[in-house]
Amino acid sequence: MIVNFALSFIFASLALASPLTSSNPLGLGGQFDVFARNVAISSGCSTTGTASCHNTSAVSNTCCFEAPGFWDTDPSTGPSNSWTIHGISVCDGTFSENCDPSRDQSAITSLLESAGATSTLSFMQTYWKNDPDDGSDEELWSHEWDTHGTCYSTLEPSCLPSGSPSGTDAVAFYETVVRLFQTLPTYTWLANQGITPSSSTTHTLTSLENALAAEAGVTPMLTCDGSNLNEIAWYFNLKGSIIDGTFVPIDSPEDSDCPSSGIKYPLKTGSPVSTTSVSSTTTTTTTVCSQRATTPGPLPTKAMIVAIHNGAQVGGLLTLGTWSTQTLATMTLAGSTSSFTMTSSKGSCGVSGGELTCGSGVSATSFTAISSGGSLLLASGGSTAFSSSAVPSGETVETVFTGSGKAQTYTLAIVST
């Protein structure tokens, strides 16, 4: 979703134009009843208004306006003829995460069973798989809710029906992820275009993107581990609530990071599942593209500095002041929006010769924070423009320069932690 639902829904952006019809239950082109749920949860929101990312004025009712998978082969996870779920995340230009620790959930199985969402749980046990080296499936489910789910404005407890039991917000999140995933049969779409897993066949990035666009009507973002395809993110805008809104598919606002050719779609071990009983066979990320229609608050004392490139969040600053998609540094900010210093665990951050660095021998620079579109943007010398020679991916890092003199230009948003 961007709602980055990047089914890896990287739920990466969510917004569907109209519901899917019963005659096309897996398509993306019409209205669909994603919410034929185990549990009756209603938002009471209209789906005829403005989609996320497209408002031109402040929206007061954020209960009805969202304001903010993988192909694993080593080890193999999930069915051999299906992708699996990563999650659904918001990318609203501020890259909010872990928004309300008081609503964190750990016992997801018990939560869903208590709510009567047993078929949702069963589906998750098959299709929402964690890398065993990273922990249990339940740990991944918990992480996705705690990190991303608590950041959806439309899932705030105050937006739920009166008298809703504790945890109803999380139940709605998991049911939305599953129902939306079931409309994205990525494995089947690729197979329809003659592309199936193989130990020897290779593909071009263009052929893979074109195949998926031919089936879905929009182009997702593909991620590779070396030359192996391992993640696909579908992006949407959202009308109404995450609970029962309308998800409108959009082209990915981010470029795929796979090589232009020689891409492998490797075989998975394990058993296939029956496609007659399963309406979706993908491992994807969904991203919902949403935008908080609020005025930024005062300068936080602790913050991540997130990079916004071509309208999407792409990593941010590390402790040395470099740009990366790895775990971001927590910066200490001292001062006000009109003048403040920034320090990482390595030392003061400053600009010298047009280059931003942080470290023990760096002279601190006085920065400013400029309000833009509901975000606070880092500014140096009055300019919010920063640039690097390339866009980072994986473990690569890029030097950050002030101004737009390098090939890739972006802004840096200040996100309170």
Side-chain angles (χ1 to χ4, degrees), residues 83-369:
W83 289 69
T84 58
I85 299 171
H86 178 188
I88 173 172
S89 60
V90 161
C91 176
D92 63 1
T94 60
F95 195 55
S96 300
E97 289 189 338
N98 302 304
C99 294
D100 189 353
S102 71
R103 293 158 59 207
D104 286 358
Q105 299 284 346
S106 57
I108 309 306
T109 295
S110 297
L111 175 70
L112 293 172
E113 287 177 339
S114 297
T118 53
S119 66
T120 293
L121 174 61
S122 177
F123 191 93
M124 290 166 60
Q125 290 168 336
T126 300
Y127 294 97
W128 200 337
K129 309 298 292 181
N130 199 5
D131 183 329
D133 292 337
D134 294 335
S136 67
D137 295 344
E138 188 122 353
E139 287 176 300
L140 174 59
W141 304 340
S142 176
H143 168 80
E144 290 301 313
W145 163 253
D146 296 349
T147 303
H148 302 295
T150 59
C151 293
Y152 285 99
S153 69
T154 59
L155 290 180
E156 290 286 341
S158 60
C159 297
L160 301 177
S162 177
S164 295
S166 175
T168 298
D169 49 357
V171 172
F173 170 82
Y174 292 118
E175 292 214 309
T176 293
V177 174
V178 166
R179 300 300 179 263
L180 186 59
F181 176 82
Q182 290 172 339
T183 72
L184 298 167
T186 306
Y187 183 95
T188 298
W189 283 339
L190 287 170
N192 289 346
Q193 295 291 316
I195 299 173
T196 56
S198 168
S199 59
S200 57
T201 304
T202 61
H203 308 274
T204 65
L205 176 59
T206 298
S207 68
L208 291 170
E209 289 180 331
N210 288 348
L212 290 168
E215 293 286 323
V218 292
T219 302
M221 181 183 74
L222 280 58
T223 298
C224 288
D225 180 7
S227 61
N228 290 336
L229 176 65
N230 76 332
E231 183 174 6
I232 295 177
W234 296 97
Y235 289 75
F236 305 80
N237 287 326
L238 173 64
K239 289 187 175 184
S241 169
I242 287 290
I243 295 173
D244 51 10
T246 297
F247 294 90
V248 183
I250 60 173
D251 289 329
S252 169
E254 302 181 73
D255 293 333
S256 298
D257 77 350
C258 294
S260 60
S261 61
I263 301 171
K264 296 179 180 179
Y265 184 15
L267 292 161
K268 289 171 66 175
T269 59
S271 302
V273 291
S274 171
T275 57
T276 60
S277 61
V278 178
S279 59
S280 172
T281 54
T282 60
T283 294
T284 54
T285 295
T286 297
T287 298
V288 178
C289 187
S290 61
Q291 172 178 319
R292 294 191 183 277
T294 58
T295 300
L299 185 75
T301 56
K302 297 288 185 180
M304 294 187 300
I305 309 301
V306 172
I308 309 301
H309 180 260
N310 291 336
Q313 185 273 329
V314 184
L317 298 189
L318 302 184
T319 55
L320 292 176
T322 50
W323 181 22
S324 173
T325 57
Q326 300 175 62
T327 302
L328 306 188
T330 296
M331 302 291 190
T332 300
L333 311 182
S336 65
T337 56
S338 59
S339 179
F340 67 91
T341 57
M342 183 166 64
T343 306
S344 75
S345 62
K346 301 295 185 182
S348 298
C349 299
V351 175
S352 178
E355 180 180 336
L356 173 64
T357 57
C358 302
S360 59
V362 175
S363 297
T365 290
S366 178
F367 297 96
T368 56

